[in-house]
């Protein structure tokens, strides 16, 4: 196992759910991250799907003690470098490309790339990656696919994301090759917009106990 895979596992192992966040208002980033951390989910993924995403990452990295902020929806080397410079502790991409692998090779920030086919998983494995995002999980065979990978690709672990909810997360977490799951249900848009941080903290606390 590569040092970067070990680093990524050290960041995310032990936290069953990684909140996947789309920050529409940058002012929400810090109180949201604090609420999630108080609830037991310090590692979060802020997706680069909004104009303020990089600023949100900067603020969380600089202002929320104990937070482990990662950047998601990274599609190319430029975004990888920008996210790392903003303070991301890990980088998440929906897929795997040679450009991203090259960017990750030259960076101390570990990459969690998406992979759903045996070929993609083997390509990541050849690059020294043993911990991958399985995305989009539900649309790509979900639990059945991950069970099928467990034997032939026994040394590869996954973080399924996409269609994961509070109702099916525990089923995914019961699989031997699943370390954690990614999901947005712990920070519903309406709660974030209304600043209902106590309710989000409660959702995070419940999610932090899944699979235990």
């Amino acid at each position: 196992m590569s040092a970067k895979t070990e680093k990524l596992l050290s960041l995310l192992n032990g936290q069953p759910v990684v909140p996947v966040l789309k920050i529409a208002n940058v002012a929400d980033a810090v109180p949201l991250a604090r609420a999630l951390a108080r609830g037991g989910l310090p590692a979060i993924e802020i997706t680069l799907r909004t104009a303020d995403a990089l600023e949100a990452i900067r603020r969380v990295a600089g202002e929320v003690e104990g937070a482990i902020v990662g950047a998601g929806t990274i599609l190319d080397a430029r975004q990888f470098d920008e996210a790392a410079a903003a303070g991301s502790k890990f980088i998440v991409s929906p897929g795997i490309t040679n450009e991203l692998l090259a960017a990750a090779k030259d960076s101390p920030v570990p990459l969690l790339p998406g992979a759903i086919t045996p070929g993609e998983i083997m390509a990541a494995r050849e690059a020294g990656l043993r911990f991958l995002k399985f995305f989009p999980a539900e649309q790509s065979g979900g639990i059945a696919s991950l069970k099928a990978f467990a034997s032939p690709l026994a040394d590869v672990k996954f973080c399924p994301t996409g269609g994961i909810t509070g109702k099916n997360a525990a089923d995914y977490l019961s699989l031997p090759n699943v370390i954690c799951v990614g999901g947005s249900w712990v920070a519903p848009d309406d709660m974030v917009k209304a600043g209902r941080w106590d309710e989000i903290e409660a959702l995070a606390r419940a999610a932090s106990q899944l699979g235990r």
Side-chain angles (χ1 to χ4, degrees):
M1 186 180 295
S2 71
K4 288 182 183 176
T5 292
E6 289 181 356
K7 184 175 183 179
L8 190 57
L9 284 168
S10 73
L11 292 173
L12 301 182
N13 201 5
Q15 180 172 315
V17 178
V18 178
V20 179
L21 310 174
K22 186 169 69 173
I23 305 293
N25 181 354
V26 71
D28 293 331
V30 166
L32 174 56
R34 284 179 175 151
L36 292 167
R38 285 195 305 269
L41 302 180
I44 61 174
E45 174 190 336
I46 295 178
T47 62
L48 264 64
R49 300 182 189 181
T50 64
D52 289 331
L54 287 172
E55 177 61 21
I57 291 168
R58 275 189 285 270
R59 292 190 187 186
V60 172
E63 299 178 35
V64 184
E65 186 176 356
I68 303 167
V69 60
T73 322
I74 300 298
L75 304 178
D76 53 44
R78 177 184 60 80
Q79 290 182 336
F80 186 107
D81 293 340
E82 289 176 346
S88 300
K89 298 292 191 294
F90 60 98
I91 302 289
V92 186
S93 63
I96 186 168
T97 69
N98 290 330
E99 181 184 349
L100 274 174
L101 288 174
K105 185 178 181 181
D106 296 331
S107 172
V109 181
L111 173 66
L112 179 66
I116 57 171
T117 69
E120 290 168 346
I121 296 166
M122 290 168 66
R125 189 177 176 280
E126 282 183 8
L129 303 175
R130 297 288 193 278
F131 183 22
L132 307 173
K133 173 178 175 174
F134 185 70
F135 174 83
E138 280 289 280
Q139 297 86 343
S140 304
I143 288 170
S145 289
L146 287 164
K147 283 182 176 178
F149 291 146
S151 181
L153 298 161
D155 60 348
V156 180
K157 305 299 182 184
F158 296 94
C159 175
T161 305
I164 311 296
T165 69
K167 294 180 179 178
N168 62 10
D171 293 331
Y172 277 93
L173 291 165
S174 71
L175 300 177
N177 55 348
V178 168
I179 297 292
C180 56
V181 300
S184 58
W185 82 89
V186 292
D189 289 343
D190 59 336
M191 287 188 189
V192 174
K193 289 176 184 176
R196 289 152 58 188
W197 310 124
D198 289 347
E199 292 176 59
I200 288 173
E201 179 182 343
L203 287 174
R205 186 166 289 110
S208 73
Q209 297 304 310
L210 287 170
R212 294 180 179 173

